[in-house]
Amino acid sequence: MRETAIDGDRVEVLPDEDGTRVIVCRGAFDMDTLAPLTEATHAATADPTVRRIILDMAQVTFVDSYMLNLLVRAHRTGRLVLAGPLPEQVTQLLRLTGADAVFTICDNLPHARNLPLP
């Protein structure tokens, strides 16, 4: 897969490497701005060659319950990893909802890439 920018600079899909797809997220994600990320995430979960999906969230400024719902759905595939460092607002939302205990969260993208594949 070639590198793809969806919705300008908000969502960028990097080329797949060794069964891993990285989706770089930038900016705020809410009900009105979530569609490009939803599209990229659905494409990744539908691709049988993708064994791990990394959402690089280091540049995210805001997420709401719609984004959290998308993360939960992607997590159900057993292939989702969140890469940070996660912004404080994201960390607080995950902590308040208990989702921080559910997701695989790495401090940075290189660490997430080096996790064993499922």
Side-chain angles (χ1 to χ4, degrees):
M1 174 175 201
R2 292 181 293 145
E3 185 171 334
T4 306
I6 302 171
D7 188 26
D9 291 328
R10 186 176 306 274
V11 176
E12 181 180 4
V13 180
L14 302 183
D16 293 355
E17 289 182 27
D18 300 321
T20 297
R21 181 163 304 166
V22 176
I23 302 171
V24 180
C25 306
R26 296 180 188 92
F29 290 89
D30 59 24
M31 179 176 67
D32 296 325
T33 61
L34 194 60
L37 182 57
T38 300
E39 178 185 325
T41 304
H42 286 184
T45 59
D47 187 334
T49 66
V50 175
R51 296 176 53 205
R52 175 178 36 231
I53 302 162
I54 300 174
L55 289 186
D56 181 345
M57 299 182 63
Q59 299 175 65
V60 171
T61 57
F62 174 81
V63 300
D64 68 0
S65 60
Y66 288 92
M67 172 76 159
L68 181 59
N69 188 357
L70 175 66
L71 295 177
V72 169
R73 287 191 317 251
H75 172 72
R76 289 182 183 152
T77 68
R79 301 181 284 165
L80 180 67
V81 176
L82 304 181
L86 298 182
E88 186 59 31
Q89 189 270 332
V90 175
T91 301
Q92 286 179 357
L93 178 65
L94 296 178
R95 189 178 308 127
L96 285 171
T97 60
D100 60 334
V102 174
F103 294 117
T104 301
I105 302 171
C106 294
D107 293 336
N108 55 54
L109 184 55
H111 180 229
R113 283 185 184 273
N114 288 323
L115 289 176
L117 286 169

